[in-house]
Every structure is written in C-alpha cells, then in structure tokens.
Amino acid sequence: MEKRTIYLSYKVVIDSCGELLDEWKQDPRFESVALTLSVDGVNIIDDETFDQADFLKRVAECPECPKSACPSPERYMRAFDCEAEHVYAVTLSAELSGSYNSAVLGKNLYLEDHPDAKVYVFNSCSASVGETLIGLKIQELEEKGLSFEEVVEQTEAYILSQDTWFVLENLDPLRKNGRLGTVKALVATALKIKPVMGSTDEGTIIQLDQARGMKKALVKMVNSIEEKKSSDPQERMVGIAHCNCPQRAEMVKEEIIKRLPFKDVILVNTAGVSTMYANDGGIIVVA
C-alpha cells in the first residue's frame, strides 16, 4: 500500500522534558523527542511507556542522582524530515541539558541536504510546562498566519518574558546532585524547610526563598508570581506541572487565579525528565 504523505503548514518538535497536551498527542503537527533517564544502571526511555510510580520508587531507593541523556542529532534530523513548511524545535534549558545543542546540530545536518528548509531551534531557558507554553505560543502565532520569521521573533521575545518557579517536597534531588550539602539537607528535612526555586534569564536554577512547611512555601511562590506578573496577566497563560500531586496543583491554580486574571491556566502531570527534577510532590509553575 502506498504511503500517504501529510502536508503540514508547520510542525513543533518538543523534547520530552516538555509535557505534550492531550490534544497534541494525536496531532501530526506535534512530536515529542525522548530523552533517556538512567537510575542505578537502568535506562528508561522518556516516552509514552514512562511509568512515573516505578521511576519514583527507583529514584528513592538509589543513593545516586538519576541522570538524563539527550536525544541524538540524528533523532532530531528524523523529526525535522517532514512535509511541513515551517519546523520548530523546543528544548529544555541549554544550561541543564545538551538537548538544545543536539537539536541545533541535527538542524544543521538536515539543512546540508535541505538548504531551503525553514527550521528553527528554541532554547526554552526553562523546562517542563515552560516548553509546553512555548509550543502553545508557536501554535497561536502560526494559526494567526504569521511568517516563519515573525513566529521566531515573537516566540523568542515570549521566552525572554517567561519566569519559572518550583517548590520541592523532597530535598533528595538537590542533595544527590550536589546543590545542597548532606548536613544542610538533613537539617532542612528535620525542620521541614522547603526551598522555593526559580530560574535565571539564562535558564540556570537558583533558590529564591524558603519556608517551613510545603503550604507556606507554596504561598511564597505565589507571592513571587503575583509580584513579577502583575503588569499584564490578562495577556499571559500560566502552566502548572505537578509530580504525583494533582490536588496540590489545583490548590496552587486556585490561589493564582484568585490574585491575578491570567488568560488561561493549564495543568499537566510531569513526564519523565520533569519528574526527575521535581520528584514526588514537586510543583513547577511557569508564567
């Protein structure tokens, strides 16, 4: 049977740190490119087969920090090789992974054989639902009929305007990857201190604040969101990703929309790479 070619006006390729919306999963205009996670010598592909509960159990039992391996340039090349007029890739922060550099190399290799193709790679300077929001921005601009160059320019401006926050229930990820000393982690855990984390404009992770108890930490996070996004909330979307804690995510959503009239709020459960960063009970917010 002859293969039927589907012609697309655009395609968005998102590495698997970004959560695909349900409506994107059957849409040929969207494709997830999987990273590989490694826990205690076991490799786990971050695709539709990812088992969050099993992964969290393995991470809890392993004394070392889980690691991730980015997709190969060849994998990105395959994603770019499609019948789409415009192709965009969105990767997690180049400060956190080699996924961006791999995608750029894949684009350059693809353009050697397809010099007229329009392909662009966005460094999200974020992760998780931040990438999802960038995908939504590209979709919105494309469906307005903007040119490839206009979509690139306006999406880059949108990325610069984004801010990322997250609060961790479990400090083990910070201890295992060396961002928090063992003694400090033990003391913080004993005192129930929860750090409020954020990202810089370059996409590195920093601690913004801390509080005793998860509820107080989440309030401080929402305070920060209100302070930074009070100027134009009606023009913006908010993305909330949770790791195995949907009720907590709903509570954060309600508190955010109570304070600021954002255009929309989306909720997603973390995929594999985001689960590795957030760990059980973590909350990530991007606005």
Side-chain angles (χ1 to χ4, degrees):
M1 184 176 177
E2 186 179 343
K3 182 179 178 182
R4 187 166 68 93
T5 303
I6 300 176
Y7 293 94
L8 307 171
S9 58
Y10 69 95
K11 180 178 179 181
V12 181
V13 178
I14 304 180
D15 73 22
S16 65
C17 186
E19 285 76 28
L20 287 190
L21 300 177
D22 287 340
E23 59 264 33
W24 289 351
K25 292 177 182 177
Q26 303 302 320
D27 188 333
R29 297 174 301 177
F30 293 86
E31 181 177 350
S32 177
V33 174
L35 282 82
T36 302
L37 307 175
S38 177
V39 185
D40 202 20
V42 177
N43 289 331
I44 300 167
I45 307 299
D46 186 15
D47 58 13
E48 65 277 359
T49 65
F50 176 73
D51 185 330
Q52 187 185 70
D54 178 72
F55 179 77
L56 289 171
K57 181 174 181 292
R58 290 177 184 273
V59 170
E61 293 172 351
C62 181
E64 298 177 352
C65 186
K67 296 179 173 60
S68 64
C70 65
S72 68
E74 291 75 20
R75 177 64 186 89
Y76 276 112
M77 281 180 65
R78 293 201 303 275
F80 299 154
D81 189 10
C82 61
E83 296 293 336
E85 294 178 34
H86 305 158
V87 180
Y88 309 94
V90 182
T91 75
L92 75 157
S93 170
E95 296 291 332
L96 301 177
S97 167
S99 186
Y100 172 74
N101 289 334
S102 185
V104 170
L105 181 54
K107 179 197 77 169
N108 292 338
L109 291 171
Y110 181 70
L111 291 178
E112 287 181 6
D113 293 328
H114 305 81
D116 296 327
K118 291 184 178 291
V119 183
Y120 191 86
V121 180
F122 292 101
N123 171 12
S124 73
C125 296
S126 182
S128 184
V129 73
E131 295 178 60
T132 310
L133 291 179
I134 294 166
L136 278 168
K137 174 57 70 172
I138 294 168
Q139 182 179 32
E140 173 192 322
L141 296 173
E142 274 284 344
E143 293 179 359
K144 284 182 178 178
L146 272 64
S147 69
F148 177 77
E149 291 74 19
E150 288 171 325
V151 172
V152 168
E153 181 183 3
Q154 293 193 30
T155 302
E156 285 286 12
Y158 175 70
I159 290 171
L160 286 175
S161 76
Q162 272 192 340
D163 290 286
T164 302
W165 297 262
F166 61 98
V167 176
L168 303 180
E169 173 71 60
N170 188 332
L171 296 182
D172 267 357
L174 295 180
R175 177 183 63 79
K176 289 176 180 178
N177 68 22
R179 293 182 182 273
L180 195 64
T182 301
V183 173
K184 189 175 180 181
L186 289 171
V187 171
T189 300
L191 296 177
K192 297 183 179 180
I193 293 174
K194 308 297 181 187
V196 180
M197 310 294 288
S199 66
T200 65
D201 290 342
E202 297 74 30
T204 57
I205 294 173
I206 56 171
Q207 182 170 339
L208 301 173
D209 209 334
Q210 64 183 37
R212 290 191 69 175
M214 192 67 177
K215 188 171 182 179
K216 290 180 180 178
L218 291 173
V219 169
K220 285 197 171 187
M221 179 181 69
V222 175
N223 289 345
S224 178
I225 295 168
E226 181 179 24
E227 181 181 340
K228 293 207 74 171
K229 299 299 175 182
S230 60
S231 60
D232 62 344
Q234 65 281 354
E235 301 297 323
R236 306 190 67 85
M237 291 185 66
V238 178
I240 302 173
H242 68 88
C243 184
N244 194 35
C245 54
Q247 291 181 325
R248 180 174 290 167
E250 286 287 351
M251 182 188 74
V252 170
K253 174 184 174 180
E254 289 173 12
E255 189 61 31
I256 289 173
I257 61 178
K258 187 191 302 181
R259 300 194 194 190
L260 293 170
F262 285 106
K263 181 168 68 172
D264 197 7
V265 182
I266 62 169
L267 286 179
V268 294
N269 191 7
T270 53
V273 180
S274 303
T275 296
M276 183 181 76
Y277 285 118
N279 207 274
D280 202 5
I283 292 284
I284 305 165
V285 179
V286 182

